[in-house]
Amino acid sequence: MDEKQALDAFTALSQETRLRIVRFLVAAGPQGSAAGEIGQAMDGASSSRMSFHLSHLEQAGLVISRREGRSIIYSAAYPALSGLVEFLMRDCCQGHPEVCNPAVAALSSCCEPAKGASHA
Protein backbone atom coordinates (compact mmCIF):
# COMPACT_ATOMS: atom_id res chain seq x y z
CA MET A 1 0.00 0.00 0.00
CA ASP A 2 1.31 3.42 -0.88
CA GLU A 3 0.79 6.69 0.98
CA LYS A 4 -2.14 7.86 -1.18
CA GLN A 5 -3.99 4.57 -0.68
CA ALA A 6 -3.37 4.80 3.06
CA LEU A 7 -4.67 8.37 3.15
CA ASP A 8 -7.81 7.35 1.22
CA ALA A 9 -8.36 4.48 3.67
CA PHE A 10 -7.87 6.69 6.72
CA THR A 11 -10.17 9.34 5.27
CA ALA A 12 -12.89 6.72 4.79
CA LEU A 13 -12.35 5.31 8.28
CA SER A 14 -12.36 8.72 9.97
CA GLN A 15 -16.17 8.74 10.07
CA GLU A 16 -17.86 6.83 12.92
CA THR A 17 -20.43 4.89 10.88
CA ARG A 18 -17.88 3.81 8.28
CA LEU A 19 -15.48 2.63 10.98
CA ARG A 20 -18.32 0.65 12.58
CA ILE A 21 -19.25 -0.87 9.21
CA VAL A 22 -15.69 -2.07 8.59
CA ARG A 23 -15.48 -3.60 12.06
CA PHE A 24 -18.87 -5.28 11.51
CA LEU A 25 -17.73 -6.70 8.16
CA VAL A 26 -14.43 -7.93 9.59
CA ALA A 27 -16.42 -9.81 12.23
CA ALA A 28 -18.85 -11.13 9.57
CA GLY A 29 -15.97 -12.93 7.88
CA PRO A 30 -15.28 -13.57 4.20
CA GLN A 31 -18.92 -14.45 3.45
CA GLY A 32 -19.85 -10.83 4.23
CA SER A 33 -23.28 -9.43 4.92
CA ALA A 34 -26.19 -8.01 2.93
CA ALA A 35 -26.58 -4.24 2.86
CA GLY A 36 -29.86 -4.47 4.80
CA GLU A 37 -28.23 -6.50 7.56
CA ILE A 38 -25.43 -3.94 7.78
CA GLY A 39 -28.02 -1.16 8.07
CA GLN A 40 -29.79 -3.00 10.88
CA ALA A 41 -26.48 -3.43 12.69
CA MET A 42 -25.90 0.31 12.31
CA ASP A 43 -28.96 1.16 14.43
CA GLY A 44 -31.42 0.67 11.59
CA ALA A 45 -29.77 3.14 9.22
CA SER A 46 -31.66 3.86 6.01
CA SER A 47 -30.65 2.18 2.77
CA SER A 48 -29.63 5.53 1.26
CA ARG A 49 -27.37 6.27 4.24
CA MET A 50 -25.81 2.79 4.02
CA SER A 51 -25.32 3.16 0.27
CA PHE A 52 -23.49 6.46 0.84
CA HIS A 53 -21.14 5.00 3.46
CA LEU A 54 -20.57 1.68 1.70
CA SER A 55 -19.74 3.54 -1.51
CA HIS A 56 -17.05 5.55 0.31
CA LEU A 57 -15.57 2.39 1.79
CA GLU A 58 -15.62 0.61 -1.55
CA GLN A 59 -13.94 3.54 -3.31
CA ALA A 60 -11.23 3.46 -0.63
CA GLY A 61 -10.75 -0.25 -1.33
CA LEU A 62 -11.72 -1.33 2.19
CA VAL A 63 -14.84 -3.29 1.24
CA ILE A 64 -15.90 -5.26 -1.80
CA SER A 65 -19.38 -6.03 -3.04
CA ARG A 66 -20.99 -8.81 -5.02
CA ARG A 67 -24.52 -9.49 -6.17
CA GLU A 68 -26.31 -12.59 -4.92
CA GLY A 69 -29.79 -12.72 -6.40
CA ARG A 70 -31.51 -9.50 -5.43
CA SER A 71 -29.06 -8.69 -2.63
CA ILE A 72 -25.75 -6.91 -2.65
CA ILE A 73 -23.34 -8.58 -0.26
CA TYR A 74 -20.47 -6.55 1.19
CA SER A 75 -17.28 -8.04 2.61
CA ALA A 76 -14.20 -6.60 4.23
CA ALA A 77 -11.30 -6.34 1.80
CA TYR A 78 -8.86 -8.22 4.01
CA PRO A 79 -5.81 -7.67 1.76
CA ALA A 80 -6.39 -3.90 1.87
CA LEU A 81 -6.88 -3.91 5.64
CA SER A 82 -3.73 -5.99 6.07
CA GLY A 83 -1.92 -3.60 3.75
CA LEU A 84 -3.01 -0.66 5.89
CA VAL A 85 -1.67 -2.28 9.05
CA GLU A 86 1.54 -3.19 7.24
CA PHE A 87 1.85 0.40 5.96
CA LEU A 88 1.65 1.69 9.54
CA MET A 89 4.05 -0.87 10.95
CA ARG A 90 6.51 -1.13 8.05
CA ASP A 91 9.27 0.89 9.67
CA CYS A 92 8.31 0.41 13.29
CA CYS A 93 11.19 -1.42 14.81
CA GLN A 94 14.27 -0.06 13.01
CA GLY A 95 16.28 -3.05 14.21
CA HIS A 96 14.56 -3.19 17.61
CA PRO A 97 11.83 -5.86 17.35
CA GLU A 98 10.73 -5.27 20.95
CA VAL A 99 9.10 -2.06 19.71
CA CYS A 100 6.73 -3.99 17.41
CA ASN A 101 6.22 -7.06 19.60
CA PRO A 102 3.13 -5.67 21.44
CA ALA A 103 1.36 -4.93 18.15
CA VAL A 104 2.30 -8.31 16.68
CA ALA A 105 1.13 -10.08 19.83
CA ALA A 106 -2.19 -8.19 19.79
CA LEU A 107 -2.83 -9.20 16.19
CA SER A 108 -1.76 -12.78 16.80
CA SER A 109 -4.14 -13.18 19.74
CA CYS A 110 -7.05 -11.99 17.57
CA CYS A 111 -6.43 -14.77 15.09
CA GLU A 112 -6.16 -17.72 17.46
CA PRO A 113 -8.73 -20.44 16.70
CA ALA A 114 -11.66 -20.62 19.06
CA LYS A 115 -11.38 -23.29 21.73
CA GLY A 116 -13.01 -26.48 20.57
CA ALA A 117 -12.98 -25.41 16.90
CA SER A 118 -12.08 -28.18 14.52
CA HIS A 119 -9.25 -27.73 12.06
CA ALA A 120 -10.32 -28.95 8.64
Side-chain angles (χ1 to χ4, degrees):
M1 176 170 288
D2 64 26
E3 190 171 282
K4 178 172 179 353
Q5 292 169 313
L7 286 169
D8 289 345
F10 285 124
T11 298
L13 292 171
S14 69
Q15 198 280 338
E16 178 184 3
T17 300
R18 290 193 287 268
L19 180 61
R20 289 179 60 213
I21 290 169
V22 169
R23 290 178 55 99
F24 175 81
L25 290 174
V26 166
Q31 71 274 8
S33 188
E37 293 170 355
I38 299 167
Q40 288 298 331
M42 299 299 120
D43 303 320
S46 69
S47 60
S48 62
R49 182 172 173 225
M50 284 297 92
S51 178
F52 172 79
H53 290 304
L54 288 163
S55 174
H56 271 76
L57 292 168
E58 198 162 20
Q59 288 175 344
L62 298 174
V63 301
I64 54 175
S65 64
R66 68 184 184 281
R67 182 168 289 282
E68 286 186 8
R70 295 177 56 189
S71 297
I72 299 177
I73 307 298
Y74 290 89
S75 302
Y78 292 102
L81 294 170
S82 296
L84 188 57
V85 172
E86 191 271 332
F87 175 84
L88 287 173
M89 302 299 291
R90 183 177 300 146
D91 302 316
C92 75
C93 68
Q94 298 294 313
H96 302 280
E98 67 277 4
V99 173
C100 294
N101 285 342
V104 171
L107 288 172
S108 295
S109 69
C110 293
C111 297
E112 291 178 4
K115 292 186 192 297
S118 64
H119 300 299

